[in-house]
Amino acid sequence: MRHFKILFVFLLFLVASCGRKENHPYTFYYWKTNLKLDHEERKTVDQATVPYLYTRFFDVDKVNGKFQPVAIITKDKSFQTDKQIVPTVFITNQTLLGISAEEIRFLAESIHLLIQKKAEEYHLKTNNEIQIDCDWTAGTRNDYFKFLKELKKISGKEITCTLRLHQVKDKKQTGIPPVEKVYLMCYSTSSPLENSDKNSILDINILKSYLSKMEDYPIKKIEVALPIYSWGIVTNHLGRHKLINALSKRNLENSNFKKISDHEIQVLKDGFYFGSYLNKGFKIKVEEISEEQLEEVISFLQKKIPHFNIIYYQLDSKFVLDRKF
């Protein structure tokens, strides 16, 4: 009888374990030019279970044939956190087009020096990693990979990079970056400026199709970036679109709006809405991501990637309020 009880308890434990969602440590991307934290943001990041905050330092673009840092960070005294800062730099794909070996070295040196300068100037406690974010293509892959190696050599840091869905699906064309760890970006599944009934931030069917062979990806250290941001897509009379950042469904409650569907309204009266002048007849479609969608993505990825941390994009009180992490 005692053996039966032990077996029964073991089976119960097994069933409970199989049904339980794996607990993934999490943190955030910080993607604003002026580093500052309000009460909600500080509380949220302090509760995050990964000791890092992935912080964008600047972008790099090519302007009139010259490499330029764009939107370099400034820091407010409210930006206080115990998290170690992971400097993150976005590089446009056009920066790498037709780049020479000398320019690759110059670019790597310049990025390393500017990261160092800003970390020292603002007394940021950085860790031993630099993350590069670039939507590289088959045409720029070789030079981008050379740049990543050069940056590692010059900085002496661990260099990691982001990985977009198409770079997984088309890995034969886009190649495998020379890094030990990648960050899988599970958002931007389509352009918000196309006429489409899909959610451009995250369409789960597109994600599943692009990542159907994710388990075969040669780099095994993979962290997962998930979206918590939202926006409104405004369509004018000519069918042209523009984005209004950080809109959610609750912003659509207005007597000057006519509800078309659960996430879409039509403007009934000319006026300023959300900082933009919108004419009567304009439409606004809100795109946001639900807890259920995030759970479905996590559940799918758990079958593909053994263990992963989650980095939510992005830390902003508008996006973290009422979220359960």
Side-chain angles (χ1 to χ4, degrees), residues 32-299:
K32 295 176 195 169
T33 304
N34 184 21
L35 306 185
K36 59 180 178 183
L37 293 172
D38 64 22
H39 173 72
E40 191 63 37
E41 290 158 356
R42 191 179 293 117
K43 187 181 84 176
T44 304
V45 80
D46 284 348
Q47 288 170 349
T49 50
V50 168
Y52 309 124
L53 180 64
Y54 293 82
T55 305
R56 176 204 154 278
F57 272 44
F58 51 89
D59 300 345
V60 177
D61 200 3
K62 198 181 269 182
V63 182
N64 300 324
K66 289 183 180 171
F67 302 123
Q68 295 283 341
V70 179
I72 304 167
I73 51 165
T74 56
K75 181 175 170 284
D76 182 84
K77 62 179 181 295
S78 68
F79 192 82
Q80 302 291 334
T81 176
D82 290 334
K83 301 291 183 199
Q84 289 182 57
I85 302 299
V86 180
T88 303
V89 175
F90 172 73
I91 301 179
T92 65
N93 192 47
Q94 72 164 11
T95 299
L96 303 163
L97 289 170
I99 193 169
S100 69
E102 278 170 58
E103 287 174 324
I104 288 171
R105 195 156 41 253
F106 171 76
L107 188 62
E109 279 170 359
S110 305
I111 286 172
H112 169 57
L113 288 172
L114 189 50
I115 288 171
Q116 269 191 324
K117 183 183 171 196
K118 290 294 143 190
E120 285 166 17
E121 185 180 343
Y122 297 136
H123 308 290
L124 297 171
K125 186 175 68 178
T126 57
N127 77 334
N128 193 45
E129 178 182 354
I130 296 171
Q131 185 183 131
I132 302 296
D133 178 22
C134 178
D135 191 6
W136 84 87
T137 56
T140 54
R141 72 179 227 182
N142 292 343
D143 290 322
Y144 177 55
F145 295 171
K146 283 175 195 164
F147 159 77
L148 292 174
K149 287 177 183 171
E150 194 65 36
L151 183 60
K152 181 178 174 69
K153 197 165 75 181
I154 286 166
S155 69
K157 302 253 184 183
E158 181 192 2
I159 306 301
T160 62
C161 71
T162 55
L163 182 66
R164 283 163 172 76
L165 301 181
H166 74 89
Q167 292 161 346
V168 176
K169 178 171 163 277
D170 304 325
K171 64 179 184 288
K172 281 196 171 73
Q173 289 83 6
T174 52
I176 310 299
V179 295
E180 288 179 15
K181 181 162 69 170
V182 288
Y183 293 75
L184 180 65
M185 291 174 60
C186 296
Y187 45 89
S188 300
T189 46
S190 58
S191 167
L193 305 181
E194 292 169 0
N195 286 316
S196 171
D197 56 353
K198 290 180 168 61
N199 185 323
S200 68
I201 294 174
L202 174 59
D203 182 281
I204 292 178
N205 289 332
I206 291 175
L207 176 129
K208 286 181 175 177
S209 123
Y210 274 54
L211 301 181
S212 63
K213 300 279 194 298
M214 184 74 223
E215 62 272 28
D216 298 337
Y217 199 76
I219 297 171
K220 294 307 174 192
K221 279 172 80 174
I222 299 169
E223 312 289 28
V224 171
L226 292 178
I228 52 171
Y229 64 95
S230 63
W231 53 35
I233 302 169
V234 180
T235 307
N236 69 10
H237 300 115
L238 301 170
R240 293 208 180 101
H241 307 295
K242 77 168 187 174
L243 293 179
I244 297 178
N245 193 34
L247 283 197
S248 66
K249 237 169 46 167
R250 59 174 167 256
N251 298 124
L252 300 184
E253 304 296 327
N254 188 313
S255 57
N256 292 334
F257 295 162
K258 180 178 87 178
K259 201 168 181 181
I260 299 170
S261 71
D262 198 30
H263 283 80
E264 194 169 12
I265 60 92
Q266 186 166 26
V267 178
L268 296 175
K269 185 181 174 186
D270 293 359
F272 277 98
Y273 304 98
F274 321 115
S276 294
Y277 191 81
L278 306 179
N279 293 109
K280 180 183 174 181
F282 281 24
K283 291 176 182 170
I284 305 175
K285 173 191 167 191
V286 160
E287 292 187 335
E288 52 191 341
I289 303 300
S290 68
E291 303 291 341
E292 293 73 29
Q293 285 169 298
L294 291 179
E295 280 177 20
E296 190 178 343
V297 172
I298 291 166
S299 175

